[in-house]
Amino acid sequence: MGETMIPYRRPVRFAWWWGRRAYTLFVVRELTSVFVGAYAVLLLLLVRRLGQGREAYDAYLHFLTTPQMTIFHLVALAGALYHSVTWFALAPKAMAVRVGERRIPEPVITAAAYAVWVVASVGVAWIVLRG
């Protein structure tokens, strides 16, 4: 009397995304955000060490120049570049930009995103390299 029906749930493998290229690229893109977040934490720690005085700041700079951190910086850079490029490819699909009744073509939106990226990068490089 009163037997409860349990709905069937198909088991999902841990690496479900390995089966299809599109899923793999999606998961890799999402995982790159971990490196971007970790790099943000490194920058926050840099600001904290700066507030703790010259010795703490110098020690942290030395830590950032270790071979392990150099490898991390390169991996984080590759992750940030991959994340950015794939986001720029997705941006026109995520938002429809209209001028009046006319929709802006996807390549124009993508090109605008890259243009802003280049201008921002040049601005940051100018600030950093001018001494």
Side-chain angles (χ1 to χ4, degrees), residues 6-28:
I6 299 173
Y8 174 73
R9 290 189 183 192
R10 188 168 67 170
V12 178
R13 295 180 308 131
F14 171 74
W16 59 269
W17 46 277
W18 284 352
R20 294 179 70 184
R21 185 175 189 271
Y23 293 164
T24 302
L25 293 175
F26 168 76
V27 170
V28 168

Side-chain angles (χ1 to χ4, degrees), residues 49-121:
R49 295 290 190 247
L50 186 59
Q52 292 175 338
R54 182 72 179 180
E55 291 174 6
Y57 177 72
D58 287 341
Y60 192 70
L61 287 181
H62 178 71
F63 164 71
L64 291 177
T65 61
T66 62
Q68 298 87 344
M69 289 309 298
T70 301
I71 291 169
F72 172 78
H73 282 86
L74 293 173
V75 171
L77 176 62
L81 290 173
Y82 180 76
H83 196 87
S84 299
V85 167
T86 56
W87 173 249
F88 291 155
L90 291 173
K93 294 165 183 53
M95 62 182 181
V97 179
R98 297 187 182 277
V99 175
E101 294 295 317
R102 193 173 134 241
R103 184 174 176 173
I104 303 296
E106 290 184 6
V108 173
I109 296 170
T110 303
Y114 278 109
V116 170
W117 187 20
V118 167
V119 168
S121 296

Side-chain angles (χ1 to χ4, degrees), residues 31-44:
L31 288 174
T32 60
S33 63
V34 172
F35 292 103
V36 173
Y39 199 80
V41 169
L42 284 178
L43 290 176
L44 289 172

